[in-house]
């Protein structure tokens, strides 16, 4: 926060750094992570369309790295339930 003059008056202002859009968006999964996620979807019996809808994406290639760990944990839990190992 700093001060600047607006219409002759000193006002507080928040300086914002100009950041390219691609730096604001999360990273996408690498090939290994995509394969692991796909394998977990299959082994857990999770419906792909429901999964995509839950994460508000159109394909796994849009899945963000920041959500990967939680998704794998949830799919592991679902797989345990499917296999009767709750």
């Amino acid at each position: 926060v700093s001060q600047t003059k607006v219409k002759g008056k000193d006002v507080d202002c928040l300086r914002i750094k100009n950041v390219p859009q691609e730096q604001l968006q999360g990273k996408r999964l690498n090939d290994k992570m995509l394969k692991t996620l796909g394998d977990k979807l299959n082994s857990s019996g999770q419906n792909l369309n429901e999964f995509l809808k839950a994460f508000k994406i159109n394909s796994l290639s849009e899945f963000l790295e920041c959500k990967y760990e939680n998704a794998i944990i949830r799919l592991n839990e679902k797989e345990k339930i499917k296999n009767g190992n709750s």
Side-chain angles (χ1 to χ4, degrees):
V1 177
S2 62
Q3 290 209 334
T4 191
K5 288 201 181 278
V6 176
K7 295 186 180 181
K9 295 181 181 178
D10 287 327
V11 294
D12 291 332
C13 66
L14 180 63
R15 296 195 181 269
I16 299 176
K17 181 179 176 184
N18 189 10
V19 179
Q21 184 67 26
E22 62 271 5
Q23 290 181 6
L24 297 175
Q25 297 173 344
K27 288 184 177 181
R28 300 277 164 81
L29 299 184
N30 62 38
D31 290 342
K32 183 178 178 183
M33 294 168 111
L34 274 172
K35 180 176 180 350
T36 300
L37 185 59
D39 291 346
K40 282 293 173 188
L41 282 164
N42 289 332
S43 64
S44 69
Q46 173 65 52
N47 177 284
L48 176 61
N49 289 328
E50 289 175 5
F51 184 83
L52 296 174
K53 185 176 179 181
F55 284 95
K56 299 177 183 168
I57 55 176
N58 296 313
S59 70
L60 287 182
S61 64
E62 295 176 10
F63 201 85
L64 297 179
E65 194 175 280
C66 62
K67 297 180 180 184
Y68 176 78
E69 186 176 339
N70 189 43
I72 294 296
I73 290 169
R74 303 267 182 200
L75 291 170
N76 282 336
E77 291 170 356
K78 188 169 178 107
E79 184 177 7
K80 285 181 184 178
I81 292 169
K82 177 186 170 196
N83 294 330
N85 301 325
S86 51

